[in-house]
């Protein structure tokens, strides 16, 4: 059964369709689909949490002095150890360092506040090589 056009139909532009066609959306992180991988320390919202990558990204943030050590609560360390690869875990247990080739010492400190559960101790400015 055909209906006769109404005033409302006559006011609509012929290209306007109802319901509107879905608009392709970009991922939440702003990277275009199929684009480059997110930089280290940044991940897509659907990937598994990586607390060590988050802590290292904070420790090595641009414009800040390099980290001298990372102090961490015991329960935060337990969560990190559960997610580390066997080689990274062995390196942490043997050498006490995490991160890139140079590594940053990881020190357990139960007196830190529960949130965020870690603290980055940075190299004092007088010791920086310019």
């Amino acid at each position: 059964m055909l209906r006769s056009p109404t005033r409302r139909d006559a006011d609509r532009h012929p290209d306007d369709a109802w319901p509107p066609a879905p608009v392709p959306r970009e991922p939440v992180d702003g990277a275009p689909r199929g684009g480059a991988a997110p930089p280290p320390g940044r991940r897509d919202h659907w990937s598994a949490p990586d607390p060590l990558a988050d802590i290292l990204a904070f420790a090595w943030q641009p414009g800040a002095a390099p980290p001298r050590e990372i102090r961490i609560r015991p329960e935060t360390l337990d969560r990190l150890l559960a997610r580390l690869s066997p080689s990274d875990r062995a390196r942490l247990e043997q050498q006490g360092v995490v991160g890139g080739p140079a590594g940053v010492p990881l020190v357990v400190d139960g007196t830190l506040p529960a949130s965020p559960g870690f603290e980055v101790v940075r190299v004092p400015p007088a010791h920086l090589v310019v």
Side-chain angles (χ1 to χ4, degrees), residues 13 18 29 45 54 65 75 84 88 123:
H13 189 274
W18 191 260
D29 66 359
H45 69 281
D54 293 341
E75 58 273 14
L84 284 178
D88 290 339
V123 174

Side-chain angles (χ1 to χ4, degrees), residues 51-61 67 70 98-100 104:
L52 181 59
D54 293 341
I55 291 171
L56 288 173
F58 182 80
W60 289 105
Q61 61 187 330
I70 298 173
V98 293
V104 179

Side-chain angles (χ1 to χ4, degrees), residues 5-6 8 24-25 34 39-40 44 47 53 56 67 83 89 92 100 113 125-126:
T6 63
R8 177 170 275 190
R25 293 178 29 182
D44 296 320
S47 59
L56 288 173
R83 295 188 178 276
R89 184 181 196 139
L92 176 59

Side-chain angles (χ1 to χ4, degrees), residues 16-93:
D16 293 343
W18 191 260
V23 176
R25 293 178 29 182
E26 292 296 322
V28 173
D29 66 359
R33 294 177 197 268
R42 182 175 168 202
R43 57 187 183 278
D44 296 320
H45 69 281
W46 56 83
S47 59
D50 187 356
L52 181 59
D54 293 341
I55 291 171
L56 288 173
F58 182 80
W60 289 105
Q61 61 187 330
R68 185 176 65 197
E69 69 183 18
I70 298 173
R71 304 181 75 70
I72 191 165
R73 289 189 55 83
E75 58 273 14
T76 307
L77 176 64
D78 293 340
R79 286 193 294 265
L80 290 180
L81 290 174
R83 295 188 178 276
L84 284 178
S85 67
S87 61
D88 290 339
R89 184 181 196 139
R91 181 174 183 221
L92 176 59
E93 290 171 351

Side-chain angles (χ1 to χ4, degrees), residues 93-114:
E93 290 171 351
Q94 292 169 3
Q95 300 173 5
V97 297
V98 293
V104 179
L106 196 66
V107 179
V108 177
D109 183 356
T111 63
L112 290 172

